[in-house]
Amino acid sequence: MVAGAAGLCLLLALDCLFPLPPAPRYSPIVLAADGSVLHAYLNPTQKWRMKTELAEITPALQQAIINKEDRYFRYHFGVNPVAIMQAAGRNIFKTGRTTGASTITMQVARLLEPKERTFGNKLLEMLRATQLEAHYSKAEILQLYLNLVPYGGNIEGVKSAALLYFQQPPDYLSLAQTVTLAIIPNQPRVLVLGKNNDRILAERNRWLRQFRQQHLFPDQAIEDALHEPLDMQRRAAPALAPHLARRLVTRFPGQPIIHSTLQRTPQAKAEDLTRNYVRRLRELGISQAAVLVVNNRTRAVEAYVGSADFQDAASSGQVDGVRAIRSPGSTLKPFLYALAVDRGIATPKLKLPDVPTNFSGFRPENFDKSCAGEVTVERALTYSLNIPAVRVLAEVGMPVFTDKLRAAGFKSVAKAAPLLGLSTILGGCGATLEELTGLYAALADGGRYRAVRLTLPPGETSLPTPLQKRGKTLASTQKSRGSSALLNEGPGREPLVSPAAAFLVTDILAQRTRPDLPMGYQNSRHLPKIAWKTGTSYGRRDAWSIGYNADYTIGVWVGNFSGQGSPALTGADVASPLLFDLFNALAYDSPNRWAVPPATLDFRLVCAETGLVPGEHCPNQLIDYYLPGTSSARHCEHQKEALVSADGAVAYCRACVPATGFRRQLFPNPLPEVLAFREAQGLPSNRLPPHNAACRLVRSTEEGAGAALAITSPLDHAEYVLDRHDKQQMLLSCAAGSEVRQVFWYVNDRFLRAASATERVFFRPPSGTVKISCADDHGRNVDIQLQVAEL
């Protein structure tokens, strides 16, 4: 008893003093969601040593290896004494084939610690084998053996050999292929696949016949394997999704197997489509593109294309376009309008001013440099107009907008939020394709944001695609729940926007009558049923097109990693065709279903002229969506009734209206900036006539109230540089209500001159700080300040 305890203590002490060698250094591999290998890397010692998992060791592989290498593997404790005695007898008496009696466990010990073959090292192998048996199960020892056995060159392990020679994992090999890999490790320098195939074939068939004699496998399986040809060459290692593979291997250093969410077929299709598409764009000075495909139900990334060609060093192909920070152009506009809907600021038919506007020194322009005067919200979004979007952002507020983007994972925006201004909505910030695609996936999911997933959770080995997992139609499920979300399954965070706002934006983005439809797609039956938005950054350096349907959200970026622009680089003409090709290739059989209005949405009549609740002078009305209790209930006043003389030359107030000789007349009542724009364009306008000069009473607030007076030129707080030798002059102009007939201009509180409300006045300003003041004939006034320098 005491001796036994002392012996056990001695063994434990020796185990601690001489620990097992470290685990093998494997080649990192990235798997697709179905378990197939997408990408493999050499290990740190520049060998292909891919880890074979226990589940990949098939019964056929176990039986072939064990019967060939160590028939009593399952019964000994690392060392086979009988085999050692037999080998010693043959070696001493020189009878039979000289052998070393190495068990599989002893071979593992030698492979873990390669040493010169001597008698002393053989004894050490036996001790290590015993130690291995004490620490590992038989299955784990066999797994170690199959991960370390050599196959010639820098190939080690059965999985590496199976993939590089047969392009299949071990558990997908035929019996003939399995036996082929079982016989090579004994002579890896002689039996080289691709060079000595005839010799390998003869050796394989010899062992197959021997296995038939042992009744190891069914006779028919042996017969089929004997007739299977062997025409194998070494292939390149799997190299799909190089950008994501590098990202994951960097994120999980030392992890031999990384399970990604990618689907192998969509990934391969996306890479081929992107590569071939960019090849056609090179003559236009465009060399790169990036694509991200997200499953809306699970937020799993199913395709990840960081560049058109990872190996194209001339075009910086190793840059990951999915994570590159670029200007988002107009791609944030749908999210802004969704926020405006939730705050009661916008409804689809509401009209917004689309006129040249000065936002505290910032004067945005539309992409085509033109203005329409007034446009509906849905047209402003469909046509991606810049001026209305900036106006809506000013009303929503930058803090609200940036806080929501921060919640949606926009890291660059979150970092720069205090410095961002209204130009953010036009691309004046940084964003990645991954962030934008995740944001649009939230719109597809009723406004609920969840970060996109790149890896499978522990224990999960596969993700069903939307086309594999249908069940009952999603549309019927949504109707029963009363939700507009394209997808409602799974837990989510607090919504970024409401389902109602997400539905309205989706409904607008799904319209097909729009200017950003690529040429040739107007009547094309190949146009997928999706909602999408394009974007083009300043200088035509980035082209975006991001779209979604019930199943997928796909983001596309096209451009140059160098930042060089191209005249042809626009989201509509360059990015959208690739987006449509991807949807047609990856979701060609998606069911023709779309979002349905949520129960929180309702309809109401609105004035066709303004999109507001009809007033008493709104004969033309139409139906519009709105959010009860949220959308603005302001009544329309696009026409204003006034009391005028019979000849229409004089306007009266209630205090001075005569007993007879007057009439009631409706006058247009647009916003001052809209009225000024129309008159500047030479469009007819019907202004209110001047007030009765004989009226001695100051009109009441109700009578005198009108639109605010605004100076449209020059810009407030702007700096102007004039040539002292040139006769340059500065333009003075204002926007005033229809009731204003005359305005009065002042420079540094000194009267300059009187002018009509629409007259353009020119003057030479003094140097330094200049105060410009404008007053109208209704007692309103406005001041601005600017800096003038002369050179």
Side-chain angles (χ1 to χ4, degrees), residues 605-663:
L605 287 172
V606 297
C607 175
E609 303 298 327
T610 62
L612 296 172
V613 176
E616 57 180 332
H617 305 301
C618 299
N620 300 321
Q621 300 177 12
L622 47 79
I623 295 177
D624 191 17
Y625 283 111
Y626 82 111
L627 276 71
T630 300
S631 298
S632 172
R634 184 162 61 95
H635 284 72
C636 175
E637 294 181 346
H638 81 282
Q639 294 191 103
K640 195 171 185 179
E641 186 179 73
L643 305 175
V644 299
S645 60
D647 60 1
V650 177
Y652 300 111
C653 65
R654 293 176 182 175
C656 67
V657 61
T660 60
F662 73 91
R663 59 188 174 87

Coordinates of all heavy atoms in Angstrom, one line a residue, residues 605-663:
L605 N -56.7 62.8 -45.2 CA -56.7 63.7 -46.3 C -55.8 64.8 -46.0 O -55.7 65.4 -44.9 CB -58.1 64.2 -46.6 CG -59.1 63.2 -47.2 CD1 -60.5 63.8 -47.3 CD2 -58.6 62.8 -48.6
V606 N -55.0 65.2 -47.0 CA -54.1 66.4 -46.9 C -54.3 67.3 -48.1 O -54.8 66.8 -49.1 CB -52.6 65.9 -46.7 CG1 -52.4 65.1 -45.5 CG2 -52.2 65.2 -47.9
C607 N -53.8 68.5 -47.9 CA -53.9 69.4 -49.0 C -52.8 69.0 -50.1 O -51.7 68.8 -49.7 CB -53.6 70.9 -48.5 SG -53.5 72.1 -49.9
A608 N -53.2 69.0 -51.3 CA -52.3 68.6 -52.4 C -51.2 69.6 -52.6 O -50.1 69.3 -53.1 CB -53.0 68.4 -53.7
E609 N -51.4 70.9 -52.1 CA -50.4 71.9 -52.4 C -49.3 71.9 -51.3 O -48.1 72.3 -51.6 CB -51.1 73.3 -52.3 CG -52.2 73.4 -53.3 CD -51.7 73.3 -54.8 OE1 -50.6 73.7 -55.0 OE2 -52.5 72.8 -55.6
T610 N -49.6 71.4 -50.1 CA -48.6 71.5 -49.0 C -48.4 70.2 -48.3 O -47.4 70.0 -47.6 CB -49.0 72.5 -48.0 OG1 -50.3 72.1 -47.4 CG2 -49.1 73.9 -48.6
G611 N -49.3 69.2 -48.4 CA -49.3 68.0 -47.6 C -49.7 68.2 -46.2 O -49.6 67.2 -45.4
L612 N -50.2 69.3 -45.8 CA -50.7 69.6 -44.4 C -52.2 69.3 -44.3 O -52.9 69.1 -45.4 CB -50.5 71.0 -44.1 CG -49.0 71.5 -44.0 CD1 -48.9 73.0 -43.8 CD2 -48.3 70.7 -42.9
V613 N -52.7 69.2 -43.1 CA -54.1 69.0 -42.9 C -54.9 70.1 -43.6 O -54.5 71.3 -43.5 CB -54.5 69.0 -41.4 CG1 -55.9 68.9 -41.2 CG2 -53.7 67.9 -40.7
P614 N -55.9 69.8 -44.4 CA -56.6 70.8 -45.2 C -57.2 72.0 -44.4 O -57.7 71.7 -43.3 CB -57.7 70.1 -46.0 CG -57.2 68.6 -46.0 CD -56.4 68.5 -44.7
G615 N -57.0 73.2 -44.9 CA -57.6 74.4 -44.3 C -58.9 74.7 -45.0 O -59.4 73.9 -45.8
E616 N -59.4 75.9 -44.7 CA -60.7 76.3 -45.4 C -60.5 76.6 -46.8 O -61.5 76.8 -47.5 CB -61.3 77.4 -44.6 CG -60.4 78.7 -44.5 CD -61.1 79.8 -43.8 OE1 -62.3 79.8 -43.8 OE2 -60.4 80.6 -43.2
H617 N -59.3 76.8 -47.3 CA -59.1 77.2 -48.7 C -58.3 76.1 -49.4 O -57.3 76.4 -50.2 CB -58.4 78.5 -48.8 CG -59.1 79.6 -48.1 ND1 -60.4 80.0 -48.4 CD2 -58.7 80.4 -47.0 CE1 -60.8 81.0 -47.5 NE2 -59.8 81.2 -46.7
C618 N -58.5 74.8 -49.2 CA -57.8 73.8 -49.8 C -58.7 72.8 -50.6 O -59.1 71.8 -50.1 CB -57.0 72.9 -48.8 SG -55.8 73.9 -47.8
P619 N -59.1 73.2 -51.8 CA -60.0 72.4 -52.6 C -59.4 71.1 -53.1 O -60.1 70.1 -53.3 CB -60.4 73.3 -53.8 CG -59.2 74.2 -53.9 CD -58.7 74.4 -52.6
N620 N -58.1 71.1 -53.4 CA -57.4 69.9 -53.9 C -56.8 69.1 -52.8 O -55.9 69.6 -52.1 CB -56.3 70.3 -54.9 CG -56.9 71.1 -56.1 OD1 -58.0 70.8 -56.6 ND2 -56.1 72.1 -56.5
Q621 N -57.3 67.9 -52.6 CA -56.9 67.1 -51.5 C -56.5 65.6 -52.0 O -57.0 65.2 -53.0 CB -57.9 67.0 -50.4 CG -58.3 68.3 -49.8 CD -59.5 68.2 -48.8 OE1 -59.8 67.2 -48.4 NE2 -60.0 69.4 -48.4
L622 N -55.6 65.0 -51.2 CA -55.3 63.6 -51.5 C -55.0 62.9 -50.2 O -55.0 63.5 -49.1 CB -54.0 63.6 -52.5 CG -52.8 64.5 -52.1 CD1 -52.0 63.8 -51.0 CD2 -52.0 64.6 -53.4
I623 N -54.9 61.5 -50.3 CA -54.7 60.7 -49.2 C -53.2 60.5 -48.9 O -52.4 60.3 -49.8 CB -55.4 59.3 -49.4 CG1 -56.9 59.5 -49.5 CG2 -55.0 58.3 -48.3 CD1 -57.6 58.2 -49.8
D624 N -52.9 60.5 -47.6 CA -51.5 60.4 -47.2 C -51.4 59.5 -45.9 O -52.4 59.5 -45.1 CB -50.8 61.7 -47.0 CG -49.3 61.6 -46.8 OD1 -48.7 60.6 -47.1 OD2 -48.7 62.6 -46.3
Y625 N -50.3 58.8 -45.7 CA -50.1 58.1 -44.4 C -49.8 59.2 -43.3 O -49.2 60.2 -43.6 CB -48.9 57.2 -44.5 CG -49.1 55.9 -45.3 CD1 -48.6 55.6 -46.5 CD2 -49.9 54.9 -44.7 CE1 -48.8 54.4 -47.2 CE2 -50.1 53.7 -45.3 CZ -49.6 53.5 -46.5 OH -49.8 52.3 -47.2
Y626 N -50.1 58.8 -42.1 CA -49.6 59.6 -41.0 C -49.7 58.7 -39.7 O -50.3 57.7 -39.7 CB -50.5 60.9 -40.8 CG -51.8 60.6 -40.1 CD1 -52.0 61.2 -38.8 CD2 -52.8 59.9 -40.6 CE1 -53.2 61.0 -38.1 CE2 -54.0 59.7 -40.0 CZ -54.2 60.3 -38.7 OH -55.4 60.1 -38.0
L627 N -49.0 59.2 -38.7 CA -48.9 58.5 -37.4 C -49.8 59.3 -36.4 O -49.5 60.4 -36.0 CB -47.5 58.5 -36.8 CG -46.6 57.4 -37.3 CD1 -46.2 57.6 -38.7 CD2 -45.3 57.3 -36.4
P628 N -51.0 58.7 -36.1 CA -51.9 59.4 -35.2 C -51.2 59.7 -33.9 O -50.5 58.9 -33.3 CB -53.0 58.4 -35.0 CG -53.0 57.5 -36.2 CD -51.6 57.5 -36.6
G629 N -51.4 61.0 -33.4 CA -50.8 61.4 -32.2 C -49.3 61.8 -32.3 O -48.8 62.3 -31.3
T630 N -48.7 61.6 -33.5 CA -47.3 62.0 -33.7 C -47.2 63.0 -34.8 O -46.5 64.0 -34.6 CB -46.5 60.7 -34.0 OG1 -46.6 59.8 -32.9 CG2 -45.0 61.1 -34.2
S631 N -47.7 62.7 -35.9 CA -47.6 63.6 -37.1 C -48.2 64.9 -36.8 O -49.2 65.0 -36.1 CB -48.2 62.9 -38.3 OG -47.6 61.7 -38.7
S632 N -47.6 65.9 -37.4 CA -48.1 67.3 -37.2 C -49.5 67.5 -37.7 O -49.9 66.9 -38.7 CB -47.2 68.3 -38.0 OG -47.7 69.6 -38.0
A633 N -50.3 68.1 -36.9 CA -51.7 68.4 -37.2 C -51.9 69.8 -37.7 O -53.0 70.4 -37.7 CB -52.6 68.1 -36.0
R634 N -50.8 70.5 -38.0 CA -50.9 71.9 -38.5 C -51.8 72.0 -39.7 O -51.6 71.2 -40.7 CB -49.5 72.5 -38.7 CG -49.5 73.9 -39.1 CD -48.1 74.5 -38.9 NE -47.1 73.8 -39.7 CZ -46.7 74.2 -40.9 NH1 -47.2 75.3 -41.5 NH2 -45.8 73.5 -41.6
H635 N -52.6 73.0 -39.8 CA -53.5 73.2 -40.9 C -52.9 74.0 -42.0 O -52.0 74.9 -41.7 CB -54.8 73.9 -40.5 CG -55.8 72.9 -39.8 ND1 -55.6 72.5 -38.5 CD2 -57.0 72.4 -40.2 CE1 -56.5 71.7 -38.1 NE2 -57.4 71.6 -39.1
C636 N -53.3 73.7 -43.2 CA -52.6 74.4 -44.3 C -53.1 75.8 -44.4 O -54.3 76.2 -44.2 CB -53.0 73.6 -45.6 SG -52.5 74.4 -47.1
E637 N -52.2 76.7 -44.8 CA -52.5 78.1 -45.1 C -51.8 78.6 -46.3 O -51.2 79.6 -46.4 CB -52.0 79.0 -43.9 CG -52.8 78.7 -42.6 CD -52.4 79.6 -41.5 OE1 -51.3 80.3 -41.6 OE2 -53.1 79.7 -40.5
H638 N -51.8 77.7 -47.3 CA -51.1 78.1 -48.6 C -51.8 79.2 -49.3 O -51.2 79.8 -50.2 CB -51.0 76.8 -49.5 CG -52.2 76.5 -50.3 ND1 -53.3 75.9 -49.8 CD2 -52.5 76.8 -51.6 CE1 -54.2 75.7 -50.7 NE2 -53.7 76.2 -51.8
Q639 N -53.1 79.5 -48.9 CA -53.8 80.6 -49.5 C -54.3 81.5 -48.3 O -54.7 80.9 -47.3 CB -54.9 80.2 -50.4 CG -54.5 79.6 -51.7 CD -55.6 79.4 -52.6 OE1 -55.7 80.1 -53.6 NE2 -56.5 78.4 -52.4
K640 N -54.2 82.8 -48.4 CA -54.7 83.7 -47.4 C -55.7 84.6 -47.9 O -55.5 85.3 -49.0 CB -53.4 84.4 -46.8 CG -53.7 85.1 -45.5 CD -52.4 85.6 -44.9 CE -52.6 86.2 -43.5 NZ -51.3 86.7 -43.0
E641 N -56.8 84.7 -47.2 CA -57.8 85.7 -47.6 C -57.5 87.1 -47.2 O -57.1 87.3 -46.0 CB -59.2 85.2 -47.1 CG -60.3 86.1 -47.6 CD -61.7 85.6 -47.0 OE1 -61.9 85.9 -45.8 OE2 -62.4 85.0 -47.8
A642 N -57.7 88.0 -48.1 CA -57.4 89.5 -47.7 C -58.6 90.3 -48.3 O -59.3 89.9 -49.2 CB -56.1 89.9 -48.3
L643 N -58.7 91.5 -47.6 CA -59.7 92.5 -48.1 C -59.0 93.5 -49.0 O -58.0 94.1 -48.5 CB -60.3 93.2 -46.9 CG -61.0 92.2 -45.8 CD1 -61.5 93.0 -44.6 CD2 -62.1 91.4 -46.4
V644 N -59.4 93.6 -50.2 CA -58.8 94.5 -51.2 C -59.8 95.4 -51.8 O -61.1 95.1 -51.8 CB -58.0 93.7 -52.3 CG1 -56.9 92.9 -51.6 CG2 -59.0 92.9 -53.1
S645 N -59.4 96.5 -52.4 CA -60.3 97.4 -53.1 C -60.8 96.7 -54.3 O -60.3 95.7 -54.8 CB -59.5 98.7 -53.4 OG -58.4 98.4 -54.3
A646 N -61.8 97.3 -54.9 CA -62.5 96.7 -56.0 C -61.5 96.5 -57.2 O -61.6 95.6 -57.9 CB -63.7 97.6 -56.4
D647 N -60.6 97.5 -57.3 CA -59.6 97.3 -58.4 C -58.4 96.5 -58.0 O -57.5 96.4 -58.8 CB -59.2 98.7 -58.9 CG -58.6 99.6 -57.8 OD1 -58.4 99.1 -56.7 OD2 -58.2 100.7 -58.1
G648 N -58.3 96.1 -56.8 CA -57.2 95.2 -56.3 C -55.9 96.0 -56.1 O -54.9 95.3 -55.9
A649 N -56.0 97.3 -56.0 CA -54.8 98.1 -55.8 C -54.4 98.3 -54.4 O -53.2 98.6 -54.1 CB -54.9 99.4 -56.5
V650 N -55.3 98.1 -53.5 CA -55.1 98.4 -52.1 C -55.6 97.3 -51.2 O -56.7 96.8 -51.5 CB -55.7 99.8 -51.7 CG1 -55.5 100.1 -50.2 CG2 -55.2 100.9 -52.5
A651 N -54.9 97.0 -50.1 CA -55.4 96.1 -49.2 C -55.8 96.8 -47.9 O -55.3 97.8 -47.5 CB -54.2 95.1 -48.8
Y652 N -56.9 96.2 -47.3 CA -57.4 96.8 -46.1 C -57.2 95.8 -44.9 O -57.2 94.6 -45.1 CB -58.9 97.1 -46.2 CG -59.2 98.0 -47.4 CD1 -59.9 97.6 -48.5 CD2 -58.9 99.4 -47.3 CE1 -60.2 98.4 -49.6 CE2 -59.2 100.3 -48.3 CZ -59.9 99.8 -49.5 OH -60.2 100.6 -50.5
C653 N -57.1 96.4 -43.7 CA -57.2 95.6 -42.5 C -58.7 95.8 -42.0 O -59.4 96.6 -42.5 CB -56.2 96.1 -41.5 SG -56.4 97.7 -40.9
R654 N -59.0 95.1 -40.9 CA -60.3 95.2 -40.4 C -60.6 96.5 -39.8 O -61.8 97.0 -39.7 CB -60.5 94.1 -39.4 CG -60.5 92.7 -39.9 CD -60.6 91.6 -38.9 NE -60.6 90.3 -39.5 CZ -60.5 89.2 -38.8 NH1 -60.6 89.3 -37.4 NH2 -60.5 88.0 -39.3
A655 N -59.6 97.3 -39.5 CA -59.8 98.6 -38.9 C -60.1 99.6 -39.9 O -60.8 100.6 -39.6 CB -58.6 99.0 -38.0
C656 N -59.6 99.5 -41.1 CA -59.7 100.5 -42.1 C -60.6 100.1 -43.3 O -60.7 100.9 -44.3 CB -58.4 101.0 -42.6 SG -57.4 99.8 -43.5
V657 N -61.2 98.9 -43.3 CA -61.9 98.5 -44.4 C -63.2 99.4 -44.6 O -63.9 99.7 -43.6 CB -62.4 97.0 -44.3 CG1 -63.2 96.8 -43.1 CG2 -63.1 96.5 -45.6
P658 N -63.5 99.9 -45.8 CA -64.6 100.8 -46.0 C -65.9 99.9 -45.9 O -65.9 98.7 -46.0 CB -64.4 101.4 -47.4 CG -63.6 100.4 -48.1 CD -62.7 99.7 -47.0
A659 N -67.0 100.7 -45.8 CA -68.3 100.0 -45.8 C -68.7 99.3 -47.1 O -69.3 98.2 -47.1 CB -69.4 101.0 -45.4
T660 N -68.3 99.9 -48.2 CA -68.5 99.3 -49.5 C -67.2 99.5 -50.3 O -66.3 100.2 -50.0 CB -69.7 100.1 -50.2 OG1 -69.4 101.5 -50.3 CG2 -71.0 99.9 -49.4
G661 N -67.3 98.9 -51.5 CA -66.2 99.1 -52.5 C -65.0 98.2 -52.2 O -63.8 98.6 -52.6
F662 N -65.2 97.1 -51.5 CA -64.1 96.2 -51.3 C -64.6 94.8 -51.6 O -65.8 94.5 -51.8 CB -63.6 96.3 -49.8 CG -64.6 95.6 -48.8 CD1 -64.5 94.3 -48.5 CD2 -65.6 96.4 -48.3 CE1 -65.4 93.7 -47.6 CE2 -66.5 95.8 -47.4 CZ -66.4 94.5 -47.1
R663 N -63.6 93.9 -51.7 CA -64.0 92.5 -52.0 C -62.9 91.6 -51.3 O -61.9 92.0 -50.9 CB -63.9 92.2 -53.5 CG -62.6 92.5 -54.2 CD -62.8 92.3 -55.7 NE -61.6 92.8 -56.4 CZ -60.5 92.0 -56.6 NH1 -60.6 90.7 -56.3 NH2 -59.5 92.4 -57.3

